[in-house]
Amino acid sequence: MYCQNCGTEMWYKNGQTVCPKCGAVASPDSQQPTTQQQMPTATKNPFYKKWWFWVIIAVVLLLVIIGFSNGGDTSDDISNTSKEAITQTSDETNSTSEKTKVTVADFSTMSKNEIEEWAETNNVRCVVTTIYSDTVPAGSIIEQSEQANSTVSEGDIIYVKFSKGKKPSVEYQNALIKAEAYSKTMHMSKKGIYDQLTSEYGEGFSADAAQYAIDNLQADYKANALEKAKSYQQTMHMSKKAIYEQLISEYGEQFTKEEAQYAIDHLND
């Protein structure tokens, strides 16, 4: 039976004859098909036959492969980093444990130079400072940060305080300042500085103040003698013998014979 509207063969479905193309229904008195042909049901392709399915599969596989590849590299990096960290920690631990132990000496019986020599020999740092003290004589130890017979490691620091004696009066301090100026600018001898400090025609300090200045003056008298000798040689054109006599004369510079000879030995010919 064919549809009167579009001529398409009609199908029998649910007790009616229907055109699959235009949907027209045959009238009840129309001839029924001898064989009840059912309307074909639209058939969908399985999802695994769709193109997008295989695209998704390909993308997933690619991501999995990349993930495994990166994961392997990261694992190696982490493993190597862990090994390096363990090795470094082990080295530091061994370095600490291998430090030689040192028994601290009794610095109260030692001079500053002796303490520095002990520190160098035992690979220990000693920081020495000097301060005024009303109770500890000048040149003596006030305290040391690590007690005698205690144990420290190589490279450790020990702090040592030396006494400069009682804090001097202003008079004594001024005498020392003047003595330093005579030594640094005029290159005078020890006796020459003392005489200049006590002279009534010079600074007029007391003998005690002048002696304090001499005792606390940090001066290189051999270097002073050499500077004086150079001055006599260059400005007065004196001979070495005459310079030597001028350096040791009680009416001249009053250097010791040793200091004067050092100066002569180091003059230019």
Side-chain angles (χ1 to χ4, degrees):
M1 180 177 182
Y2 294 90
C3 178
Q4 295 180 354
N5 293 330
C6 62
T8 302
E9 185 177 5
M10 303 181 73
W11 295 85
Y12 184 74
K13 182 179 179 181
N14 298 330
Q16 292 182 324
T17 301
V18 182
C19 176
K21 183 176 182 179
C22 66
V25 179
S27 59
D29 55 351
S30 298
Q31 181 181 355
Q32 298 296 327
T34 56
T35 303
Q36 294 183 350
Q37 295 176 305
Q38 299 293 330
M39 287 277 291
T41 303
T43 303
K44 296 183 179 179
N45 289 332
F47 70 91
Y48 55 82
K49 292 186 178 181
K50 301 293 185 179
W51 65 269
W52 49 262
F53 173 78
W54 293 106
V55 171
I56 293 174
I57 292 298
V59 172
V60 171
L61 288 174
L62 180 61
L63 292 176
V64 170
I65 293 171
I66 293 174
F68 274 115
S69 176
N70 291 339
D73 293 343
T74 303
S75 176
D76 291 340
D77 292 341
I78 293 173
S79 177
N80 292 334
T81 302
S82 299
K83 289 179 181 178
E84 291 175 1
I86 292 171
T87 301
Q88 182 177 357
T89 303
S90 176
D91 291 343
E92 291 175 353
T93 303
N94 292 336
S95 176
T96 302
S97 61
E98 290 173 1
K99 281 188 176 180
T100 303
K101 298 299 181 182
V102 178
T103 301
V104 180
D106 183 2
F107 296 154
S108 64
T109 62
M110 303 166 65
S111 66
K112 181 179 178 181
N113 289 338
E114 290 173 335
I115 293 174
E116 291 175 347
E117 290 175 1
W118 176 90
E120 183 176 357
T121 300
N122 291 278
N123 196 23
V124 175
R125 292 179 57 195
C126 279
V127 178
V128 180
T129 56
T130 55
I131 61 174
Y132 293 114
S133 173
D134 293 335
T135 57
V136 180
S140 299
I141 291 287
I142 297 175
E143 65 178 357
Q144 58 188 83
S145 61
E146 299 293 339
Q147 298 301 314
N149 299 319
S150 62
T151 302
V152 297
S153 298
E154 286 187 344
D156 286 353
I157 302 177
I158 301 176
Y159 297 92
V160 183
K161 290 183 180 179
F162 269 91
S163 172
K164 294 196 294 185
K166 292 183 179 181
K167 188 175 182 179
S169 64
V170 174
E171 181 83 354
Y172 280 35
Q173 293 181 54
N174 287 344
L176 177 57
I177 292 171
K178 281 291 185 178
E180 290 172 342
Y182 282 124
S183 176
K184 292 178 180 179
T185 61
M186 300 182 68
H187 312 293
M188 294 175 66
S189 66
K190 180 186 291 187
K191 194 171 187 309
I193 294 173
Y194 179 85
D195 289 346
Q196 184 66 22
L197 291 176
T198 57
S199 173
E200 60 179 321
Y201 304 107
E203 301 299 336
F205 286 105
S206 67
D208 288 343
Q211 191 59 51
Y212 169 83
I214 295 299
D215 292 342
N216 290 274
L217 178 62
Q218 302 295 322
D220 185 344
Y221 293 110
K222 287 184 177 180
N224 284 359
L226 178 57
E227 290 301 318
K228 279 291 185 180
K230 289 178 179 178
S231 176
Y232 283 124
Q233 185 185 57
Q234 295 170 4
T235 61
M236 301 182 68
H237 311 291
M238 295 172 63
S239 68
K240 286 187 176 181
K241 187 176 184 303
I243 293 172
Y244 178 84
E245 294 297 334
Q246 184 66 23
L247 291 177
I248 63 173
S249 172
E250 62 178 322
Y251 303 106
E253 302 299 337
Q254 302 185 82
F255 284 102
T256 66
K257 291 181 178 181
E258 181 183 1
E259 292 163 355
Q261 190 59 53
Y262 172 87
I264 297 301
D265 291 342
H266 288 80
L267 274 177
N268 294 327
D269 292 329

